Amino acid sequence: MKNTPFQKLQNELDIAATHMEKVLPKEVLDIFEKSIHDLRTSDSGRGLIAGVKAPDFTLVNSTGQKITLSEEILKGPVVLIFYRGTWCPFCNLELKAYQRMNDDINAIGGQLIAVSPQTPNYSASVQDKNELKFHVLSDLQNKTAEKYNLKFKLPEYVYPIYRSLDISLETFNGDHSWELPVPATYVIDKAGIIRLASVEADYKKRMEPSKVMHFLQSLY
């Protein structure tokens, strides 16, 4: 498989992080970094590890269709991505990177599924603006994220900053919990076992899609 742009996701994320550093005040950046540190040192959002059974779920996609994991894995291995929302530039870059490799994943029998706590209309927005050709599911109240040990509550000291940036989680997620999933990527085989797992408290870092692709190829 030749080298393609989707192998450079972290470069794109680093550029976005640099831009964020230029446009936001240092005190805001410091608070964001504190929230990452506090999450990393907490007991929340540690995720599941490779080798365990992937919890089953049924969630609706952006058109209201119900999608069940146990039914999807019968078709082939699933790359399951938990992301924060349409308001997160790092999440959008990640989803675009996976879209660039969607045909490659499909060609070897795999498929992509992305999950966030957003309401279906915001899932549709993510799908449209990033031209995603895979399932984008709504995990209302983070119930599935909780099964995967990814759910966490944002600290109250970030609420004013999010609101000042027009990030209203109450609107995007349709509840007042201020809960999100830790960004995570899982490769789940046809037996429903998690074979590869990446969970990262720092939302500016994600598993490289090329690594996921190479791992999928190794399953065959």
Side-chain angles (χ1 to χ4, degrees), residues 6-49:
F6 62 69
Q7 293 176 301
K8 310 289 187 182
L9 172 60
Q10 192 56 54
N11 290 350
E12 297 179 74
L13 297 175
D14 291 343
I15 291 170
T18 299
H19 175 72
M20 186 172 73
E21 291 169 1
K22 291 179 179 178
V23 299
L24 293 180
K26 183 179 183 302
E27 56 268 26
V28 168
L29 296 171
D30 288 345
I31 289 173
F32 283 165
E33 289 304 310
K34 172 176 167 52
S35 70
I36 292 170
H37 175 268
D38 289 350
L39 175 58
R40 182 170 282 141
T41 55
S42 75
D43 293 326
S44 300
R46 295 190 176 272
L48 300 180
I49 61 173

mmCIF file of all heavy atoms in Angstrom, residues 6-49:
data_model
loop_
_atom_site.group_PDB
_atom_site.id
_atom_site.type_symbol
_atom_site.label_atom_id
_atom_site.label_comp_id
_atom_site.label_asym_id
_atom_site.label_seq_id
_atom_site.Cartn_x
_atom_site.Cartn_y
_atom_site.Cartn_z
ATOM 1 N N PHE A 6 -3.515 10.280 4.393
ATOM 2 C CA PHE A 6 -4.145 9.976 5.670
ATOM 3 C C PHE A 6 -3.157 9.443 6.701
ATOM 4 O O PHE A 6 -3.493 9.287 7.853
ATOM 5 C CB PHE A 6 -5.334 9.011 5.519
ATOM 6 C CG PHE A 6 -5.026 7.645 4.969
ATOM 7 C CD1 PHE A 6 -4.297 6.715 5.707
ATOM 8 C CD2 PHE A 6 -5.503 7.267 3.729
ATOM 9 C CE1 PHE A 6 -4.043 5.448 5.210
ATOM 10 C CE2 PHE A 6 -5.255 5.997 3.224
ATOM 11 C CZ PHE A 6 -4.524 5.090 3.963
ATOM 12 N N GLN A 7 -1.928 9.187 6.283
ATOM 13 C CA GLN A 7 -0.919 8.742 7.237
ATOM 14 C C GLN A 7 -0.302 9.919 8.004
ATOM 15 O O GLN A 7 0.561 9.716 8.838
ATOM 16 C CB GLN A 7 0.173 7.958 6.506
ATOM 17 C CG GLN A 7 -0.337 6.630 5.921
ATOM 18 C CD GLN A 7 0.720 5.906 5.129
ATOM 19 O OE1 GLN A 7 1.245 6.431 4.159
ATOM 20 N NE2 GLN A 7 1.039 4.701 5.534
ATOM 21 N N LYS A 8 -0.773 11.116 7.721
ATOM 22 C CA LYS A 8 -0.173 12.318 8.308
ATOM 23 C C LYS A 8 -1.120 13.039 9.265
ATOM 24 O O LYS A 8 -1.010 14.240 9.468
ATOM 25 C CB LYS A 8 0.233 13.290 7.188
ATOM 26 C CG LYS A 8 1.041 12.674 6.064
ATOM 27 C CD LYS A 8 2.454 12.318 6.493
ATOM 28 C CE LYS A 8 3.272 11.879 5.294
ATOM 29 N NZ LYS A 8 4.639 11.468 5.667
ATOM 30 N N LEU A 9 -2.057 12.344 9.855
ATOM 31 C CA LEU A 9 -3.048 13.003 10.687
ATOM 32 C C LEU A 9 -2.422 13.827 11.798
ATOM 33 O O LEU A 9 -2.835 14.969 12.041
ATOM 34 C CB LEU A 9 -4.019 11.977 11.291
ATOM 35 C CG LEU A 9 -5.000 12.529 12.335
ATOM 36 C CD1 LEU A 9 -5.883 13.613 11.754
ATOM 37 C CD2 LEU A 9 -5.838 11.405 12.929
ATOM 38 N N GLN A 10 -1.444 13.288 12.511
ATOM 39 C CA GLN A 10 -0.890 14.023 13.646
ATOM 40 C C GLN A 10 -0.262 15.343 13.209
ATOM 41 O O GLN A 10 -0.301 16.329 13.950
ATOM 42 C CB GLN A 10 0.121 13.176 14.406
ATOM 43 C CG GLN A 10 0.514 13.762 15.761
ATOM 44 C CD GLN A 10 -0.692 14.006 16.678
ATOM 45 O OE1 GLN A 10 -1.479 13.101 16.934
ATOM 46 N NE2 GLN A 10 -0.853 15.235 17.168
ATOM 47 N N ASN A 11 0.285 15.396 11.992
ATOM 48 C CA ASN A 11 0.797 16.663 11.481
ATOM 49 C C ASN A 11 -0.323 17.694 11.384
ATOM 50 O O ASN A 11 -0.145 18.865 11.749
ATOM 51 C CB ASN A 11 1.433 16.470 10.097
ATOM 52 C CG ASN A 11 2.739 15.699 10.150
ATOM 53 O OD1 ASN A 11 3.270 15.462 11.223
ATOM 54 N ND2 ASN A 11 3.234 15.293 8.996
ATOM 55 N N GLU A 12 -1.481 17.261 10.893
ATOM 56 C CA GLU A 12 -2.629 18.168 10.787
ATOM 57 C C GLU A 12 -3.103 18.616 12.171
ATOM 58 O O GLU A 12 -3.462 19.786 12.365
ATOM 59 C CB GLU A 12 -3.765 17.481 10.043
ATOM 60 C CG GLU A 12 -3.453 17.106 8.610
ATOM 61 C CD GLU A 12 -4.635 16.417 7.957
ATOM 62 O OE1 GLU A 12 -5.614 17.116 7.628
ATOM 63 O OE2 GLU A 12 -4.591 15.194 7.776
ATOM 64 N N LEU A 13 -3.119 17.683 13.107
ATOM 65 C CA LEU A 13 -3.539 18.021 14.470
ATOM 66 C C LEU A 13 -2.568 19.010 15.099
ATOM 67 O O LEU A 13 -2.986 19.939 15.810
ATOM 68 C CB LEU A 13 -3.622 16.755 15.317
ATOM 69 C CG LEU A 13 -4.652 15.706 14.876
ATOM 70 C CD1 LEU A 13 -4.533 14.451 15.734
ATOM 71 C CD2 LEU A 13 -6.069 16.261 14.940
ATOM 72 N N ASP A 14 -1.287 18.835 14.849
ATOM 73 C CA ASP A 14 -0.285 19.749 15.397
ATOM 74 C C ASP A 14 -0.449 21.161 14.827
ATOM 75 O O ASP A 14 -0.296 22.157 15.540
ATOM 76 C CB ASP A 14 1.124 19.236 15.103
ATOM 77 C CG ASP A 14 1.462 17.979 15.893
ATOM 78 O OD1 ASP A 14 0.762 17.683 16.878
ATOM 79 O OD2 ASP A 14 2.422 17.277 15.502
ATOM 80 N N ILE A 15 -0.769 21.243 13.537
ATOM 81 C CA ILE A 15 -1.006 22.552 12.915
ATOM 82 C C ILE A 15 -2.219 23.222 13.545
ATOM 83 O O ILE A 15 -2.211 24.424 13.847
ATOM 84 C CB ILE A 15 -1.195 22.388 11.392
ATOM 85 C CG1 ILE A 15 0.135 21.983 10.745
ATOM 86 C CG2 ILE A 15 -1.717 23.683 10.762
ATOM 87 C CD1 ILE A 15 0.009 21.555 9.290
ATOM 88 N N ALA A 16 -3.276 22.443 13.773
ATOM 89 C CA ALA A 16 -4.473 22.995 14.413
ATOM 90 C C ALA A 16 -4.174 23.453 15.837
ATOM 91 O O ALA A 16 -4.686 24.497 16.288
ATOM 92 C CB ALA A 16 -5.593 21.952 14.416
ATOM 93 N N ALA A 17 -3.349 22.704 16.554
ATOM 94 C CA ALA A 17 -2.978 23.086 17.917
ATOM 95 C C ALA A 17 -2.174 24.379 17.919
ATOM 96 O O ALA A 17 -2.373 25.255 18.777
ATOM 97 C CB ALA A 17 -2.192 21.960 18.578
ATOM 98 N N THR A 18 -1.282 24.512 16.946
ATOM 99 C CA THR A 18 -0.491 25.739 16.830
ATOM 100 C C THR A 18 -1.387 26.933 16.542
ATOM 101 O O THR A 18 -1.204 28.029 17.104
ATOM 102 C CB THR A 18 0.571 25.590 15.719
ATOM 103 O OG1 THR A 18 1.457 24.517 16.055
ATOM 104 C CG2 THR A 18 1.374 26.866 15.552
ATOM 105 N N HIS A 19 -2.359 26.731 15.667
ATOM 106 C CA HIS A 19 -3.315 27.811 15.370
ATOM 107 C C HIS A 19 -4.083 28.205 16.623
ATOM 108 O O HIS A 19 -4.283 29.401 16.891
ATOM 109 C CB HIS A 19 -4.281 27.352 14.271
ATOM 110 C CG HIS A 19 -5.367 28.344 13.993
ATOM 111 N ND1 HIS A 19 -5.142 29.544 13.336
ATOM 112 C CD2 HIS A 19 -6.701 28.331 14.297
ATOM 113 C CE1 HIS A 19 -6.278 30.215 13.246
ATOM 114 N NE2 HIS A 19 -7.234 29.502 13.821
ATOM 115 N N MET A 20 -4.514 27.211 17.396
ATOM 116 C CA MET A 20 -5.250 27.483 18.625
ATOM 117 C C MET A 20 -4.401 28.301 19.585
ATOM 118 O O MET A 20 -4.899 29.216 20.252
ATOM 119 C CB MET A 20 -5.686 26.160 19.273
ATOM 120 C CG MET A 20 -6.596 26.326 20.482
ATOM 121 S SD MET A 20 -7.277 24.755 21.073
ATOM 122 C CE MET A 20 -5.806 24.039 21.842
ATOM 123 N N GLU A 21 -3.115 28.009 19.648
ATOM 124 C CA GLU A 21 -2.213 28.736 20.528
ATOM 125 C C GLU A 21 -2.076 30.200 20.110
ATOM 126 O O GLU A 21 -1.826 31.078 20.946
ATOM 127 C CB GLU A 21 -0.838 28.061 20.537
ATOM 128 C CG GLU A 21 -0.843 26.701 21.219
ATOM 129 C CD GLU A 21 0.450 25.939 20.997
ATOM 130 O OE1 GLU A 21 1.359 26.501 20.321
ATOM 131 O OE2 GLU A 21 0.554 24.797 21.467
ATOM 132 N N LYS A 22 -2.250 30.461 18.806
ATOM 133 C CA LYS A 22 -2.113 31.826 18.299
ATOM 134 C C LYS A 22 -3.370 32.659 18.537
ATOM 135 O O LYS A 22 -3.280 33.878 18.705
ATOM 136 C CB LYS A 22 -1.791 31.799 16.799
ATOM 137 C CG LYS A 22 -0.410 31.261 16.467
ATOM 138 C CD LYS A 22 -0.180 31.232 14.957
ATOM 139 C CE LYS A 22 1.209 30.717 14.619
ATOM 140 N NZ LYS A 22 1.419 30.636 13.148
ATOM 141 N N VAL A 23 -4.532 32.019 18.537
ATOM 142 C CA VAL A 23 -5.786 32.790 18.579
ATOM 143 C C VAL A 23 -6.416 32.864 19.968
ATOM 144 O O VAL A 23 -7.284 33.714 20.203
ATOM 145 C CB VAL A 23 -6.815 32.226 17.574
ATOM 146 C CG1 VAL A 23 -6.272 32.303 16.151
ATOM 147 C CG2 VAL A 23 -7.216 30.802 17.921
ATOM 148 N N LEU A 24 -5.981 31.998 20.877
ATOM 149 C CA LEU A 24 -6.571 32.018 22.210
ATOM 150 C C LEU A 24 -5.589 32.576 23.230
ATOM 151 O O LEU A 24 -4.379 32.358 23.125
ATOM 152 C CB LEU A 24 -6.974 30.597 22.632
ATOM 153 C CG LEU A 24 -8.116 29.952 21.848
ATOM 154 C CD1 LEU A 24 -8.392 28.546 22.376
ATOM 155 C CD2 LEU A 24 -9.385 30.797 21.908
ATOM 156 N N PRO A 25 -6.081 33.294 24.235
ATOM 157 C CA PRO A 25 -5.195 33.840 25.282
ATOM 158 C C PRO A 25 -4.489 32.718 26.048
ATOM 159 O O PRO A 25 -5.026 31.612 26.189
ATOM 160 C CB PRO A 25 -6.164 34.596 26.197
ATOM 161 C CG PRO A 25 -7.389 34.827 25.377
ATOM 162 C CD PRO A 25 -7.493 33.671 24.435
ATOM 163 N N LYS A 26 -3.315 33.037 26.566
ATOM 164 C CA LYS A 26 -2.533 32.036 27.288
ATOM 165 C C LYS A 26 -3.292 31.489 28.495
ATOM 166 O O LYS A 26 -3.211 30.290 28.799
ATOM 167 C CB LYS A 26 -1.200 32.628 27.751
ATOM 168 C CG LYS A 26 -0.298 31.599 28.443
ATOM 169 C CD LYS A 26 1.022 32.208 28.856
ATOM 170 C CE LYS A 26 1.939 31.158 29.467
ATOM 171 N NZ LYS A 26 1.358 30.481 30.644
ATOM 172 N N GLU A 27 -4.052 32.345 29.177
ATOM 173 C CA GLU A 27 -4.766 31.860 30.355
ATOM 174 C C GLU A 27 -5.831 30.827 29.975
ATOM 175 O O GLU A 27 -6.089 29.890 30.741
ATOM 176 C CB GLU A 27 -5.408 33.021 31.124
ATOM 177 C CG GLU A 27 -6.335 33.900 30.332
ATOM 178 C CD GLU A 27 -5.628 35.111 29.716
ATOM 179 O OE1 GLU A 27 -4.410 35.032 29.471
ATOM 180 O OE2 GLU A 27 -6.318 36.137 29.522
ATOM 181 N N VAL A 28 -6.413 30.968 28.788
ATOM 182 C CA VAL A 28 -7.380 29.977 28.309
ATOM 183 C C VAL A 28 -6.667 28.671 27.977
ATOM 184 O O VAL A 28 -7.124 27.580 28.350
ATOM 185 C CB VAL A 28 -8.140 30.512 27.078
ATOM 186 C CG1 VAL A 28 -8.938 29.390 26.399
ATOM 187 C CG2 VAL A 28 -9.062 31.645 27.481
ATOM 188 N N LEU A 29 -5.553 28.783 27.280
ATOM 189 C CA LEU A 29 -4.775 27.586 26.939
ATOM 190 C C LEU A 29 -4.322 26.850 28.196
ATOM 191 O O LEU A 29 -4.348 25.612 28.249
ATOM 192 C CB LEU A 29 -3.565 27.972 26.087
ATOM 193 C CG LEU A 29 -3.870 28.584 24.722
ATOM 194 C CD1 LEU A 29 -2.597 29.116 24.089
ATOM 195 C CD2 LEU A 29 -4.531 27.566 23.796
ATOM 196 N N ASP A 30 -3.926 27.612 29.199
ATOM 197 C CA ASP A 30 -3.478 27.003 30.460
ATOM 198 C C ASP A 30 -4.619 26.224 31.128
ATOM 199 O O ASP A 30 -4.403 25.136 31.680
ATOM 200 C CB ASP A 30 -2.942 28.073 31.410
ATOM 201 C CG ASP A 30 -1.600 28.636 30.966
ATOM 202 O OD1 ASP A 30 -0.954 28.008 30.104
ATOM 203 O OD2 ASP A 30 -1.208 29.693 31.484
ATOM 204 N N ILE A 31 -5.818 26.784 31.058
ATOM 205 C CA ILE A 31 -6.968 26.095 31.653
ATOM 206 C C ILE A 31 -7.279 24.820 30.881
ATOM 207 O O ILE A 31 -7.581 23.777 31.476
ATOM 208 C CB ILE A 31 -8.185 27.042 31.700
ATOM 209 C CG1 ILE A 31 -7.949 28.129 32.752
ATOM 210 C CG2 ILE A 31 -9.461 26.274 32.015
ATOM 211 C CD1 ILE A 31 -9.009 29.204 32.773
ATOM 212 N N PHE A 32 -7.189 24.881 29.564
ATOM 213 C CA PHE A 32 -7.403 23.676 28.762
ATOM 214 C C PHE A 32 -6.384 22.592 29.127
ATOM 215 O O PHE A 32 -6.732 21.409 29.265
ATOM 216 C CB PHE A 32 -7.304 23.998 27.273
ATOM 217 C CG PHE A 32 -8.521 24.673 26.709
ATOM 218 C CD1 PHE A 32 -8.468 25.291 25.472
ATOM 219 C CD2 PHE A 32 -9.721 24.698 27.399
ATOM 220 C CE1 PHE A 32 -9.590 25.905 24.929
ATOM 221 C CE2 PHE A 32 -10.849 25.315 26.882
ATOM 222 C CZ PHE A 32 -10.783 25.929 25.643
ATOM 223 N N GLU A 33 -5.139 22.989 29.274
ATOM 224 C CA GLU A 33 -4.103 22.005 29.621
ATOM 225 C C GLU A 33 -4.328 21.450 31.027
ATOM 226 O O GLU A 33 -4.092 20.265 31.283
ATOM 227 C CB GLU A 33 -2.712 22.634 29.508
ATOM 228 C CG GLU A 33 -2.275 22.905 28.073
ATOM 229 C CD GLU A 33 -2.312 21.658 27.207
ATOM 230 O OE1 GLU A 33 -1.751 20.620 27.626
ATOM 231 O OE2 GLU A 33 -2.912 21.712 26.119
ATOM 232 N N LYS A 34 -4.792 22.296 31.919
ATOM 233 C CA LYS A 34 -5.108 21.822 33.278
ATOM 234 C C LYS A 34 -6.225 20.777 33.221
ATOM 235 O O LYS A 34 -6.166 19.756 33.925
ATOM 236 C CB LYS A 34 -5.511 22.987 34.177
ATOM 237 C CG LYS A 34 -6.033 22.565 35.560
ATOM 238 C CD LYS A 34 -6.334 23.756 36.443
ATOM 239 C CE LYS A 34 -7.147 23.360 37.673
ATOM 240 N NZ LYS A 34 -6.558 22.244 38.442
ATOM 241 N N SER A 35 -7.235 21.024 32.398
ATOM 242 C CA SER A 35 -8.346 20.070 32.306
ATOM 243 C C SER A 35 -7.874 18.730 31.742
ATOM 244 O O SER A 35 -8.341 17.671 32.169
ATOM 245 C CB SER A 35 -9.474 20.646 31.452
ATOM 246 O OG SER A 35 -9.113 20.722 30.080
ATOM 247 N N ILE A 36 -6.936 18.771 30.799
ATOM 248 C CA ILE A 36 -6.367 17.527 30.255
ATOM 249 C C ILE A 36 -5.594 16.789 31.339
ATOM 250 O O ILE A 36 -5.727 15.572 31.512
ATOM 251 C CB ILE A 36 -5.459 17.830 29.045
ATOM 252 C CG1 ILE A 36 -6.297 18.334 27.863
ATOM 253 C CG2 ILE A 36 -4.658 16.595 28.643
ATOM 254 C CD1 ILE A 36 -5.472 18.879 26.716
ATOM 255 N N HIS A 37 -4.778 17.536 32.089
ATOM 256 C CA HIS A 37 -3.992 16.927 33.168
ATOM 257 C C HIS A 37 -4.905 16.328 34.234
ATOM 258 O O HIS A 37 -4.670 15.210 34.706
ATOM 259 C CB HIS A 37 -3.070 17.978 33.789
ATOM 260 C CG HIS A 37 -2.302 17.479 34.974
ATOM 261 N ND1 HIS A 37 -2.768 17.602 36.274
ATOM 262 C CD2 HIS A 37 -1.121 16.816 35.056
ATOM 263 C CE1 HIS A 37 -1.903 17.062 37.097
ATOM 264 N NE2 HIS A 37 -0.883 16.578 36.393
ATOM 265 N N ASP A 38 -5.944 17.069 34.589
ATOM 266 C CA ASP A 38 -6.855 16.583 35.628
ATOM 267 C C ASP A 38 -7.571 15.315 35.179
ATOM 268 O O ASP A 38 -7.780 14.390 35.979
ATOM 269 C CB ASP A 38 -7.876 17.664 35.983
ATOM 270 C CG ASP A 38 -7.254 18.819 36.759
ATOM 271 O OD1 ASP A 38 -6.081 18.686 37.185
ATOM 272 O OD2 ASP A 38 -7.939 19.848 36.936
ATOM 273 N N LEU A 39 -7.941 15.256 33.904
ATOM 274 C CA LEU A 39 -8.585 14.045 33.387
ATOM 275 C C LEU A 39 -7.614 12.873 33.381
ATOM 276 O O LEU A 39 -7.948 11.760 33.789
ATOM 277 C CB LEU A 39 -9.117 14.302 31.977
ATOM 278 C CG LEU A 39 -9.714 13.092 31.249
ATOM 279 C CD1 LEU A 39 -10.869 12.480 32.036
ATOM 280 C CD2 LEU A 39 -10.169 13.493 29.845
ATOM 281 N N ARG A 40 -6.400 13.140 32.939
ATOM 282 C CA ARG A 40 -5.401 12.065 32.838
ATOM 283 C C ARG A 40 -5.073 11.471 34.212
ATOM 284 O O ARG A 40 -4.769 10.281 34.321
ATOM 285 C CB ARG A 40 -4.145 12.607 32.161
ATOM 286 C CG ARG A 40 -3.053 11.574 31.953
ATOM 287 C CD ARG A 40 -1.947 12.118 31.073
ATOM 288 N NE ARG A 40 -2.334 12.112 29.672
ATOM 289 C CZ ARG A 40 -2.053 13.067 28.794
ATOM 290 N NH1 ARG A 40 -1.404 14.147 29.196
ATOM 291 N NH2 ARG A 40 -2.423 12.967 27.548
ATOM 292 N N THR A 41 -5.120 12.287 35.247
ATOM 293 C CA THR A 41 -4.763 11.809 36.583
ATOM 294 C C THR A 41 -5.982 11.372 37.394
ATOM 295 O O THR A 41 -5.842 11.020 38.569
ATOM 296 C CB THR A 41 -4.007 12.909 37.358
ATOM 297 O OG1 THR A 41 -4.792 14.113 37.381
ATOM 298 C CG2 THR A 41 -2.665 13.210 36.692
ATOM 299 N N SER A 42 -7.153 11.388 36.769
ATOM 300 C CA SER A 42 -8.370 10.945 37.448
ATOM 301 C C SER A 42 -8.613 9.464 37.163
ATOM 302 O O SER A 42 -7.861 8.822 36.429
ATOM 303 C CB SER A 42 -9.573 11.764 36.979
ATOM 304 O OG SER A 42 -9.974 11.357 35.679
ATOM 305 N N ASP A 43 -9.688 8.946 37.712
ATOM 306 C CA ASP A 43 -10.078 7.561 37.447
ATOM 307 C C ASP A 43 -11.110 7.470 36.335
ATOM 308 O O ASP A 43 -11.599 6.374 36.040
ATOM 309 C CB ASP A 43 -10.650 6.923 38.720
ATOM 310 C CG ASP A 43 -9.597 6.754 39.808
ATOM 311 O OD1 ASP A 43 -8.430 6.508 39.454
ATOM 312 O OD2 ASP A 43 -9.945 6.886 40.997
ATOM 313 N N SER A 44 -11.416 8.586 35.710
ATOM 314 C CA SER A 44 -12.462 8.613 34.682
ATOM 315 C C SER A 44 -11.872 8.431 33.284
ATOM 316 O O SER A 44 -10.730 8.829 33.024
ATOM 317 C CB SER A 44 -13.224 9.936 34.725
ATOM 318 O OG SER A 44 -13.843 10.124 35.973
ATOM 319 N N GLY A 45 -12.680 7.843 32.409
ATOM 320 C CA GLY A 45 -12.359 7.828 30.990
ATOM 321 C C GLY A 45 -11.125 7.053 30.586
ATOM 322 O O GLY A 45 -10.463 7.419 29.621
ATOM 323 N N ARG A 46 -10.836 5.981 31.273
ATOM 324 C CA ARG A 46 -9.626 5.220 30.942
ATOM 325 C C ARG A 46 -9.836 4.221 29.805
ATOM 326 O O ARG A 46 -8.884 3.700 29.249
ATOM 327 C CB ARG A 46 -9.094 4.502 32.179
ATOM 328 C CG ARG A 46 -8.631 5.493 33.250
ATOM 329 C CD ARG A 46 -7.886 4.819 34.371
ATOM 330 N NE ARG A 46 -7.374 5.800 35.316
ATOM 331 C CZ ARG A 46 -6.200 6.407 35.206
ATOM 332 N NH1 ARG A 46 -5.431 6.151 34.175
ATOM 333 N NH2 ARG A 46 -5.806 7.273 36.130
ATOM 334 N N GLY A 47 -11.098 3.979 29.477
ATOM 335 C CA GLY A 47 -11.393 3.134 28.329
ATOM 336 C C GLY A 47 -11.208 1.654 28.588
ATOM 337 O O GLY A 47 -10.828 1.232 29.684
ATOM 338 N N LEU A 48 -11.495 0.858 27.557
ATOM 339 C CA LEU A 48 -11.291 -0.589 27.604
ATOM 340 C C LEU A 48 -9.993 -0.937 26.896
ATOM 341 O O LEU A 48 -9.528 -0.207 26.018
ATOM 342 C CB LEU A 48 -12.465 -1.313 26.936
ATOM 343 C CG LEU A 48 -13.843 -1.076 27.555
ATOM 344 C CD1 LEU A 48 -14.897 -1.856 26.779
ATOM 345 C CD2 LEU A 48 -13.857 -1.462 29.025
ATOM 346 N N ILE A 49 -9.428 -2.078 27.251
ATOM 347 C CA ILE A 49 -8.150 -2.487 26.678
ATOM 348 C C ILE A 49 -8.357 -3.593 25.658
ATOM 349 O O ILE A 49 -9.405 -4.246 25.617
ATOM 350 C CB ILE A 49 -7.165 -2.963 27.777
ATOM 351 C CG1 ILE A 49 -7.749 -4.183 28.515
ATOM 352 C CG2 ILE A 49 -6.872 -1.825 28.750
ATOM 353 C CD1 ILE A 49 -6.772 -4.810 29.490
#
